[in-house]
Amino acid sequence: DGGITQSPKYLFRKEGQNVTLSCEQNLNHDAMYWYRQDPGQGLRLIYYSQIVNDFQKGDIAEGYSVSREKKESFPLTVTSAQKNPTAFYLCASSIGDRTYEQYFGPGTRLTVT
Amino acid sequence: GDSVTQMEGPVTLSEEAFLTINCTYTATGYPSLFWYVQYPGEGLQLLLKATKADDKGSNKGFEATYRKETTSFHLEKGSVQVSDSAVYFCALETGGSYIPTFGRGTSLIVHP
Protein backbone atom coordinates (compact mmCIF):
# COMPACT_ATOMS: atom_id res chain seq x y z
CA ASP A 1 0.00 0.00 0.00
CA GLY A 2 1.19 3.49 -0.78
CA GLY A 3 1.50 6.02 1.96
CA ILE A 4 3.67 8.18 4.17
CA THR A 5 5.71 6.90 7.07
CA GLN A 6 7.14 8.95 9.88
CA SER A 7 9.49 7.63 12.46
CA PRO A 8 9.72 7.40 15.33
CA LYS A 9 6.22 7.91 16.75
CA TYR A 10 7.62 9.33 19.99
CA LEU A 11 10.97 11.06 20.40
CA PHE A 12 12.62 12.41 23.51
CA ARG A 13 15.64 14.71 23.52
CA LYS A 14 17.57 16.87 25.91
CA GLU A 15 17.61 20.61 25.40
CA GLY A 16 20.52 21.74 23.25
CA GLN A 17 20.56 18.66 21.03
CA ASN A 18 19.64 18.61 17.38
CA VAL A 19 17.17 15.92 16.33
CA THR A 20 16.08 14.68 12.90
CA LEU A 21 12.58 13.49 12.13
CA SER A 22 12.13 11.05 9.27
CA CYS A 23 9.48 11.29 6.54
CA GLU A 24 9.26 8.86 3.61
CA GLN A 25 6.57 8.51 0.95
CA ASN A 26 6.04 5.95 -1.81
CA LEU A 27 3.18 7.78 -3.52
CA ASN A 28 5.43 9.30 -6.19
CA HIS A 29 4.32 12.76 -5.08
CA ASP A 30 6.38 15.77 -6.08
CA ALA A 31 5.39 18.04 -3.19
CA MET A 32 6.16 17.41 0.49
CA TYR A 33 5.44 19.47 3.59
CA TRP A 34 6.24 19.70 7.28
CA TYR A 35 3.73 21.05 9.78
CA ARG A 36 3.83 21.68 13.48
CA GLN A 37 0.75 21.17 15.64
CA ASP A 38 0.41 22.43 19.20
CA PRO A 39 -2.51 21.64 21.54
CA GLY A 40 -5.62 23.58 20.60
CA GLN A 41 -3.95 25.13 17.58
CA GLY A 42 -4.21 24.38 13.94
CA LEU A 43 -1.42 23.39 11.60
CA ARG A 44 1.53 25.69 11.04
CA LEU A 45 3.72 25.21 7.99
CA ILE A 46 7.43 24.84 8.68
CA TYR A 47 8.93 24.00 5.27
CA TYR A 48 7.73 22.68 1.95
CA SER A 49 9.32 21.27 -1.16
CA GLN A 50 7.77 21.12 -4.60
CA ILE A 51 10.60 19.26 -6.29
CA VAL A 52 13.79 17.39 -5.47
CA ASN A 53 16.71 19.59 -4.40
CA ASP A 54 14.46 22.57 -3.78
CA PHE A 55 12.54 23.73 -0.71
CA GLN A 56 11.05 26.91 0.74
CA LYS A 57 10.45 28.27 4.20
CA GLY A 58 6.96 28.23 5.59
CA ASP A 59 5.50 30.43 8.30
CA ILE A 60 7.66 29.18 11.20
CA ALA A 61 10.97 28.00 9.69
CA GLU A 62 13.26 29.52 12.32
CA GLY A 63 15.14 26.83 14.22
CA TYR A 64 14.39 24.13 11.65
CA SER A 65 16.18 22.79 8.58
CA VAL A 66 15.26 20.31 5.83
CA SER A 67 16.74 18.55 2.84
CA ARG A 68 15.18 17.01 -0.27
CA GLU A 69 17.83 14.87 -1.90
CA LYS A 70 15.40 12.17 -3.00
CA LYS A 71 11.80 12.39 -4.16
CA GLU A 72 10.70 9.92 -1.49
CA SER A 73 12.35 11.55 1.51
CA PHE A 74 12.01 14.90 3.29
CA PRO A 75 13.70 14.79 6.72
CA LEU A 76 13.26 17.64 9.20
CA THR A 77 15.98 18.65 11.65
CA VAL A 78 14.92 20.47 14.79
CA THR A 79 17.96 22.44 15.87
CA SER A 80 18.94 23.72 19.29
CA ALA A 81 18.00 27.19 18.03
CA GLN A 82 14.31 26.28 18.09
CA LYS A 83 13.11 27.87 21.32
CA ASN A 84 10.09 25.68 22.00
CA PRO A 85 10.51 22.42 20.07
CA THR A 86 8.11 20.22 22.03
CA ALA A 87 5.18 19.58 19.67
CA PHE A 88 3.48 17.12 17.33
CA TYR A 89 5.08 17.15 13.87
CA LEU A 90 3.22 16.10 10.76
CA CYS A 91 4.65 15.36 7.33
CA ALA A 92 2.46 15.47 4.24
CA SER A 93 2.74 15.02 0.50
CA SER A 94 0.63 15.88 -2.51
CA ILE A 95 0.59 15.61 -6.28
CA GLY A 96 0.91 19.37 -6.47
CA ASP A 97 -2.42 20.23 -8.05
CA ARG A 98 -5.10 22.33 -6.42
CA THR A 99 -7.76 19.68 -6.92
CA TYR A 100 -5.87 16.99 -5.02
CA GLU A 101 -5.66 16.52 -1.32
CA GLN A 102 -2.66 16.20 0.94
CA TYR A 103 -1.71 12.81 2.37
CA PHE A 104 -0.47 12.90 5.94
CA GLY A 105 1.84 10.66 7.90
CA PRO A 106 0.97 9.44 11.41
CA GLY A 107 3.05 12.16 13.07
CA THR A 108 6.00 12.29 15.48
CA ARG A 109 5.53 13.60 18.99
CA LEU A 110 8.76 15.30 20.06
CA THR A 111 9.42 16.09 23.70
CA VAL A 112 12.44 18.16 24.65
CA THR A 113 13.36 18.55 28.30
CA GLY B 1 -4.51 36.44 1.55
CA ASP B 2 -6.53 33.26 1.69
CA SER B 3 -8.19 32.31 4.96
CA VAL B 4 -10.53 29.70 6.44
CA THR B 5 -12.76 30.30 9.46
CA GLN B 6 -14.28 27.42 11.38
CA MET B 7 -16.66 27.45 14.28
CA GLU B 8 -15.00 27.18 17.65
CA GLY B 9 -15.22 23.91 19.52
CA PRO B 10 -15.62 21.69 21.19
CA VAL B 11 -18.92 20.62 19.72
CA THR B 12 -20.54 18.16 22.09
CA LEU B 13 -23.40 15.94 20.89
CA SER B 14 -25.25 12.82 21.89
CA GLU B 15 -25.09 9.79 19.66
CA GLU B 16 -27.52 9.96 16.70
CA ALA B 17 -27.74 13.76 16.84
CA PHE B 18 -27.43 15.94 13.73
CA LEU B 19 -24.04 17.55 13.16
CA THR B 20 -23.14 20.84 11.48
CA ILE B 21 -19.67 22.33 11.57
CA ASN B 22 -19.52 25.71 9.86
CA CYS B 23 -16.70 26.69 7.54
CA THR B 24 -16.38 29.93 5.58
CA TYR B 25 -13.49 31.08 3.45
CA THR B 26 -11.92 33.97 1.62
CA ALA B 27 -9.79 33.23 -1.39
CA THR B 28 -8.46 34.69 -4.59
CA GLY B 29 -9.27 32.67 -7.66
CA TYR B 30 -11.30 29.46 -7.58
CA PRO B 31 -10.33 27.27 -4.67
CA SER B 32 -10.83 23.58 -4.10
CA LEU B 33 -12.32 22.89 -0.66
CA PHE B 34 -11.55 20.02 1.68
CA TRP B 35 -12.56 18.55 5.00
CA TYR B 36 -9.96 16.53 6.88
CA VAL B 37 -10.43 14.50 10.06
CA GLN B 38 -7.82 13.85 12.75
CA TYR B 39 -8.36 11.11 15.30
CA PRO B 40 -6.44 11.38 18.60
CA GLY B 41 -2.71 10.88 18.20
CA GLU B 42 -2.90 10.43 14.43
CA GLY B 43 -2.28 12.41 11.27
CA LEU B 44 -4.99 14.06 9.22
CA GLN B 45 -6.90 12.12 6.59
CA LEU B 46 -9.13 13.41 3.86
CA LEU B 47 -12.83 13.13 4.65
CA LEU B 48 -14.30 14.74 1.54
CA LYS B 49 -13.64 17.43 -1.04
CA ALA B 50 -15.28 19.61 -3.69
CA THR B 51 -13.40 21.25 -6.51
CA LYS B 52 -15.98 23.62 -8.02
CA ALA B 53 -19.03 25.61 -7.07
CA ASP B 54 -22.20 23.63 -6.25
CA ASP B 55 -20.27 20.34 -5.99
CA LYS B 56 -21.22 18.17 -3.06
CA GLY B 57 -18.57 16.05 -1.41
CA SER B 58 -19.65 13.04 0.63
CA ASN B 59 -18.06 10.19 2.52
CA LYS B 60 -19.00 7.95 5.50
CA GLY B 61 -22.32 9.77 5.94
CA PHE B 62 -20.70 13.22 5.97
CA GLU B 63 -21.59 15.81 3.35
CA ALA B 64 -20.54 19.33 2.42
CA THR B 65 -21.64 21.55 -0.48
CA TYR B 66 -19.38 24.15 -2.10
CA ARG B 67 -21.40 27.40 -1.92
CA LYS B 68 -19.67 30.12 -3.85
CA GLU B 69 -22.34 32.74 -3.18
CA THR B 70 -21.90 32.44 0.59
CA THR B 71 -18.23 31.33 0.46
CA SER B 72 -19.07 28.39 2.68
CA PHE B 73 -18.42 24.65 2.91
CA HIS B 74 -20.31 23.49 6.00
CA LEU B 75 -19.87 19.88 7.14
CA GLU B 76 -23.02 17.91 8.02
CA LYS B 77 -23.93 14.42 9.17
CA GLY B 78 -27.41 13.23 9.91
CA SER B 79 -26.64 10.88 12.79
CA VAL B 80 -23.28 10.97 14.56
CA GLN B 81 -21.64 8.05 16.31
CA VAL B 82 -19.20 7.91 19.21
CA SER B 83 -16.56 6.85 16.70
CA ASP B 84 -16.93 10.23 14.92
CA SER B 85 -15.28 11.94 17.89
CA ALA B 86 -12.26 13.70 16.36
CA VAL B 87 -10.96 17.07 15.22
CA TYR B 88 -12.25 18.29 11.86
CA PHE B 89 -10.28 20.69 9.68
CA CYS B 90 -11.64 22.72 6.79
CA ALA B 91 -9.08 23.67 4.13
CA LEU B 92 -8.79 25.30 0.74
CA GLU B 93 -6.25 25.32 -2.04
CA THR B 94 -6.13 27.77 -4.88
CA GLY B 95 -3.20 26.36 -6.79
CA GLY B 96 -0.19 28.41 -7.74
CA SER B 97 2.08 27.64 -4.81
CA TYR B 98 0.14 24.46 -3.87
CA ILE B 99 0.13 25.45 -0.22
CA PRO B 100 -3.23 24.68 1.35
CA THR B 101 -4.80 27.00 3.90
CA PHE B 102 -6.23 25.22 6.94
CA GLY B 103 -8.78 26.34 9.49
CA ARG B 104 -7.94 25.99 13.16
CA GLY B 105 -9.92 22.78 13.54
CA THR B 106 -13.13 21.96 15.40
CA SER B 107 -13.18 19.27 18.06
CA LEU B 108 -16.24 17.01 18.05
CA ILE B 109 -17.13 14.95 21.11
CA VAL B 110 -19.97 12.44 20.80
CA HIS B 111 -21.40 10.90 23.97
CA PRO B 112 -23.21 7.52 24.04
Side-chain angles (χ1 to χ4, degrees):
Chain A
D1 286 337
I4 298 182
T5 57
Q6 290 185 247
S7 60
K9 180 71 173 173
Y10 298 96
L11 192 54
F12 298 88
R13 281 294 183 269
K14 294 291 186 185
E15 198 172 315
Q17 293 179 333
N18 292 353
V19 58
T20 297
L21 282 59
S22 167
C23 177
E24 304 279 331
Q25 55 101 356
N26 62 1
L27 299 166
N28 199 33
H29 286 171
D30 285 318
M32 296 188 74
Y33 312 77
W34 273 106
Y35 294 94
R36 170 179 172 141
Q37 188 175 30
D38 294 286
Q41 298 198 28
L43 303 176
R44 291 187 288 170
L45 182 65
I46 305 172
Y47 268 97
Y48 64 100
S49 168
Q50 294 175 322
I51 198 168
V52 174
N53 292 321
D54 188 41
F55 49 82
Q56 286 78 42
K57 293 181 179 180
D59 300 320
I60 57 164
E62 185 176 349
Y64 300 97
S65 66
V66 293
S67 63
R68 186 87 187 275
E69 296 176 1
K70 298 187 298 182
K71 190 175 186 177
E72 313 81 60
S73 178
F74 191 42
L76 173 74
T77 297
V78 184
T79 76
S80 56
Q82 168 49 234
K83 292 185 177 132
N84 186 17
T86 295
F88 189 52
Y89 290 88
L90 287 164
C91 180
S93 71
S94 73
I95 289 176
D97 181 284
R98 73 164 188 86
T99 64
Y100 286 88
E101 63 273 23
Q102 291 199 323
Y103 289 75
F104 285 81
T108 292
R109 187 165 299 281
L110 173 65
T111 303
V112 177
T113 57
Chain B
D2 299 341
S3 68
V4 174
T5 302
Q6 290 182 236
M7 61 191 291
E8 297 247 349
V11 173
T12 304
L13 296 173
S14 297
E15 207 165 23
E16 299 184 3
F18 185 86
L19 168 70
T20 300
I21 299 178
N22 291 337
C23 171
T24 57
Y25 68 89
T26 58
T28 54
Y30 301 97
S32 293
L33 301 173
F34 306 85
W35 277 103
Y36 291 86
V37 59
Q38 184 180 32
Y39 298 101
E42 298 182 8
L44 281 68
Q45 54 185 275
L46 179 72
L47 182 58
L48 54 85
K49 69 179 182 182
T51 59
K52 61 183 189 296
D54 300 325
D55 270 1
K56 177 188 281 189
S58 61
N59 185 26
K60 300 180 182 180
F62 292 89
E63 294 183 339
T65 301
Y66 188 142
R67 301 285 188 202
K68 189 178 176 186
E69 62 277 10
T70 54
T71 61
S72 64
F73 193 54
H74 304 321
L75 182 68
E76 296 181 337
K77 186 176 186 184
S79 176
V80 293
Q81 305 301 312
V82 172
S83 57
D84 294 327
S85 298
V87 180
Y88 293 81
F89 290 89
C90 184
L92 68 83
E93 188 162 343
T94 55
S97 65
Y98 307 120
I99 306 298
T101 299
F102 287 89
R104 293 174 64 94
T106 301
S107 175
L108 170 65
I109 301 169
V110 181
H111 294 293

